[in-house]
Amino acid sequence: MSLLSALSLRMRLLAAFAVVALAGVVSGAVAVAGLHRVNEGTHVLYERHLLGLSAIKEAEIHLVQVARHRAQYARAGSMAARDKSRASFEQHVTETRRWLDQAAPLLVADETRALHRATLEALNAYLPVGRAFLATVDATPPMAVSP
């Protein structure tokens, strides 16, 4: 006679419940360990990729502001407005460089390094043109510049 057939129905049901409960505990422990690994991977992704990308995004926002303040400089109706626009232009140039400098050591992937390089090249290509434009606008009086 087998061991299972010697047990009462009540004991067999309790044993089956205990086996199912134990299987649930084991699968839960495996799932929690897997979630821990996923959480660690998420932190690595954030620290190694997203922080650098976020800094590049901020640099690009400031680069757009550089162009915006260049246009405001041309439309300024007074020297005070021009001075304010030029100060904002230079401030955003400084902020663009600061964010790009902050991003550089955070970049790991080749794609993010290429994006960083492209943004830096865009800034370096735009600045001489933007500053030459400001110098050209300086040659005209503020009220003579058409909006």
Side-chain angles (χ1 to χ4, degrees), residues 73 81-91 134-135 138:
Y73 187 84
R82 277 190 180 177
D83 291 342
K84 183 178 178 184
S85 292
R86 183 178 284 270
S88 293
F89 177 92
E90 295 300 336
Q91 175 191 1
L134 295 180
D138 280 341

Side-chain angles (χ1 to χ4, degrees), residues 10-85:
R10 179 178 180 184
M11 289 306 292
R12 282 186 275 180
L13 286 174
L14 284 173
F17 179 76
V19 168
V20 170
L22 182 63
V25 167
V26 169
S27 67
V30 169
V32 167
L35 286 175
H36 181 67
R37 283 194 308 272
V38 168
N39 190 36
E40 288 174 351
T42 302
H43 282 290
V44 168
L45 178 68
Y46 176 73
E47 291 170 358
R48 298 187 79 200
H49 298 286
L50 294 181
L51 285 176
L53 280 175
S54 180
I56 291 172
K57 173 199 61 109
E58 290 294 328
E60 289 178 348
I61 288 170
H62 285 286
L63 186 56
V64 168
Q65 292 298 317
V66 167
R68 181 175 159 254
H69 288 290
R70 179 200 61 106
Q72 283 181 347
Y73 187 84
R75 291 190 308 264
S78 67
M79 286 307 290
R82 277 190 180 177
D83 291 342
K84 183 178 178 184
S85 292

Side-chain angles (χ1 to χ4, degrees), residues 117-130:
R117 190 171 37 259
T119 305
L120 186 58
E121 288 171 359
L123 175 65
N124 290 335
Y126 180 77
L127 279 180
V129 174

